[in-house]
Amino acid sequence: LSPLGLTILAFPSNQFGKQEPGQKHEILPALKYVRPGNGFVPNFMLFEKGDVNGQNEQPVFAFLKSACPPVGDSFGSVPGRLFWDPLKLNDIKWNFEKFLVGPDGKPVMRWHPTAQVSQVRAFLTNYLRNLSQRKQ
Ligand SMILES: *[C@@H]1O[C@H](CO)[C@@H](O)[C@H](O)[C@H]1NC(C)=O
């Protein structure tokens, strides 16, 4: 999607059900051969594994969360599967929560982990169209 000026950044975390237990050199091979497998190579920027919530959260997540309202008022029913402390209302709820940051560095939108791809795509399409119209 880079022709449209969109860059996707992905941040692996092991804080949700310990679903990313691999060492940093294991994450790309796991994507390629295990899940999703079939030779999958990300066409987005994949960062090192790190915390997105709690005392050791990465500064980028402290920033994003402070700039956007929470995506819900509950973590759902996930007993024993949230690996950070303290829990906060505005925390990332689970893997695949998404943020959109504008070209000016300001967060624009935040999506719940279960947001439909079609819903995210529709928003992005309108957003990018609006941006390109503003430039002309
Ligand atoms: C795009 O622009 C229209 C008209 O100003 C506005 O109503 C809409 O919310 C914008 N959509 C996005 C995703 O920015």
Side-chain angles (χ1 to χ4, degrees):
L1 285 169
S2 54
L4 300 173
L6 183 68
T7 303
I8 296 177
L9 314 179
F11 296 82
S13 172
N14 199 34
Q15 295 188 292
F16 308 101
K18 295 200 192 276
Q19 290 186 342
E20 188 56 90
Q23 301 293 311
K24 62 181 172 187
H25 64 275
E26 295 172 329
I27 291 179
L28 280 171
L31 290 170
K32 190 168 186 178
Y33 300 112
V34 184
R35 193 172 162 216
N38 287 317
F40 179 82
V41 176
N43 63 355
F44 46 80
M45 292 178 71
L46 185 62
F47 281 71
E48 267 186 38
K49 185 167 84 171
D51 284 1
V52 301
N53 292 323
Q55 287 180 340
N56 299 317
E57 69 188 15
Q58 299 165 89
V60 65
F61 284 96
F63 166 71
L64 290 170
K65 292 187 286 182
S66 74
C68 301
V71 290
D73 60 4
S74 147
F75 289 95
S77 181
V78 285
R81 304 193 69 207
L82 303 178
F83 294 94
W84 70 90
D85 186 58
L87 292 181
K88 294 183 187 167
L89 177 62
N90 206 17
D91 282 339
I92 308 293
K93 298 287 188 269
W94 196 258
N95 287 316
F96 300 105
E97 191 162 316
K98 291 160 272 298
F99 291 87
L100 174 65
V101 178
D104 57 0
K106 291 197 180 120
V108 173
M109 187 64 183
R110 176 180 184 177
W111 288 276
H112 191 273
T114 61
Q116 296 293 308
V117 170
S118 57
Q119 177 198 347
V120 176
R121 184 187 294 123
F123 186 94
L124 283 176
T125 303
N126 282 332
Y127 178 77
L128 291 168
R129 188 179 298 134
N130 284 0
L131 268 188
S132 70
Q133 281 167 358
R134 243 180 276 156
K135 273 186 222 148
Q136 285 160 11

